[in-house]
Amino acid sequence: MIFQYVKQLGTLVPMTSRIDPLTLEVVELIGTIVARYHEEYEEAAAKHALTGAQARVLGLLSRAPTPMRRLAQQLKCEPSNVTGIVDRLEARGLAERRLDPADRRVKLAAATEAGRETSAQLRGSLGFAREPLAELSDEERTVLRDLLKRVLGDVP
């Protein structure tokens, strides 16, 4: 058994790390879901003549205008990569750069109306999990959602 120590109320307590067959199976299933999601996401992006990275940036910008540096942090990439992606989205009229009204030294990237529409269409075309999820009851979907949030540590 593997032990990790977690600081809890000022004291260190041992915590077991599960590596049993059931945990390994769940991890593999999560990996399969992630792979299928990415595959479908790339296909949906291509139907809109976007790369997966462009579609991800457009999705983020559709939520709210975002500083370029924060986009790079969210995507875990270099700021220069984000600059190139935003350049291409801007050239297609899907994004624009604007000054941050709170700090005019900061440039925000934002989706245009056409960018928000494209992002919504792209999200709407992602259906690989819709049918299986629709077969679950509201209670089952709620339990699944809550378990996934718990696994993620309630990360938004």
Side-chain angles (χ1 to χ4, degrees):
M1 200 174 286
I2 300 171
F3 286 92
Q4 295 175 315
Y5 285 89
V6 183
K7 192 165 190 171
Q8 184 178 25
L9 300 173
T11 61
L12 292 178
V13 294
M15 183 176 92
T16 60
S17 177
R18 291 189 176 225
I19 55 172
D20 59 90
L22 179 58
T23 298
L24 294 174
E25 182 181 7
V26 170
V27 169
E28 287 295 321
L29 288 168
I30 291 170
T32 301
I33 289 170
V34 168
R36 283 190 190 170
Y37 176 83
H38 281 293
E39 182 179 315
E40 186 167 327
Y41 195 86
E42 295 286 334
E43 289 172 8
K47 289 178 184 172
H48 293 277
L50 297 169
T51 65
Q54 290 169 341
R56 281 187 288 283
V57 168
L58 189 57
L60 291 170
L61 298 180
S62 293
R63 294 180 193 159
T66 308
M68 302 284 280
R69 186 166 302 285
R70 185 171 319 137
L71 281 173
Q73 290 168 342
Q74 289 174 315
L75 296 169
K76 296 177 180 30
C77 69
E78 293 296 318
S80 61
N81 291 347
V82 171
T83 298
I85 292 168
V86 172
D87 286 346
R88 289 185 283 285
L89 291 173
E90 198 170 28
R92 292 196 40 206
L94 300 174
E96 63 187 9
R97 287 178 173 87
R98 49 175 97 141
L99 295 175
D100 184 342
D103 183 350
R104 300 191 54 81
R105 297 169 296 173
V106 176
K107 283 250 184 175
L108 299 175
T112 61
E113 183 60 33
R116 286 187 294 278
E117 288 173 18
T118 299
S119 181
Q121 290 170 4
L122 196 149
R123 271 192 320 277
S125 68
L126 298 173
F128 95 88
R130 267 197 206 118
E131 287 184 36
L133 287 173
E135 293 173 9
L136 300 177
S137 69
D138 287 347
E139 183 180 338
E140 289 171 321
R141 286 193 311 275
T142 300
V143 168
L144 177 59
R145 181 206 58 206
D146 294 347
L147 288 171
L148 290 171
K149 283 182 169 185
R150 188 170 158 196
V151 167
L152 291 172
D154 273 329
V155 175

